[in-house]
Structures are given as structure tokens and as C-alpha cells.
Amino acid sequence: GTQYFFKGCIMFKSNIRDLMNKKDMTVRDMVEKTGMSSRTIQRAVKDDSIETCELGTLARIGAALGVKTKRLYEEVEREEEK
């Protein structure tokens, strides 16, 4: 998709893969626990696409992992593109 950059752009870093690894959970496990598609889970796992996930989606992923939604990602300031 199209990327929109602006000054002081905030990027999102997904923590979901690390959390899944800590709980020894696969994408398939997450699909079973959340009832969501593997495509949705994989989108949430990637830094460049987690921002396209709805809050409700992230809440369900958080519940499956036993963590608060805000623990699923970190906001990272990105340097302006030159």
C-alpha cells in the first residue's frame, strides 16, 4: 500500500512475534485462539503493517496472549526521509 510520511513520523514496532515466542505459540495457535485469519495475524506481526490493524483486532490478539493491547506494539519516532 501507499506509505504516507510526515515530519516526526511515528512508526509502530510490533512486539507480537516476541510475545508469541515467549508463550511458544504459532500463527496457527493464534488463529485458533482468536478466530481470526492467519493473514490478519501475520499483518499484526509485521512492523510495517501492524498500524493497519483495527484496535479490536489487536485487543483480541492481546487477550489470546494474555497481555494488554498496548504491550503489543511500541511507537518509534522515525527520522524524516531525506
Side-chain angles (χ1 to χ4, degrees):
T2 311
Q3 295 277 344
Y4 296 99
F5 296 112
F6 49 90
K7 284 186 183 168
C9 184
I10 298 291
M11 296 285 296
F12 293 93
K13 178 185 173 311
S14 177
N15 295 328
I16 295 171
R17 174 66 69 198
D18 288 341
L19 292 164
M20 285 169 60
N21 288 343
K22 278 184 188 144
K23 302 222 180 247
D24 203 26
M25 290 176 73
T26 63
V27 169
R28 179 171 285 182
D29 295 330
M30 293 297 292
V31 167
E32 287 175 15
K33 276 199 146 188
T34 61
M36 294 187 290
S37 70
S38 59
R39 190 171 171 188
T40 299
I41 302 295
Q42 285 162 342
R43 209 174 66 201
V45 164
K46 293 187 183 131
D47 293 341
D48 62 352
S49 53
I50 188 171
E51 67 188 42
T52 67
C53 294
E54 292 181 12
L55 199 51
T57 297
L58 295 176
R60 282 163 69 184
I61 291 171
L65 290 166
V67 299
K68 287 189 158 64
T69 307
K70 65 185 178 185
R71 291 224 16 234
L72 299 180
Y73 62 88
E74 288 169 41
E75 290 182 44
V76 183
E77 282 210 32
R78 177 180 166 133
E79 291 298 308
E80 195 178 341
E81 298 275 303
K82 296 269 187 279

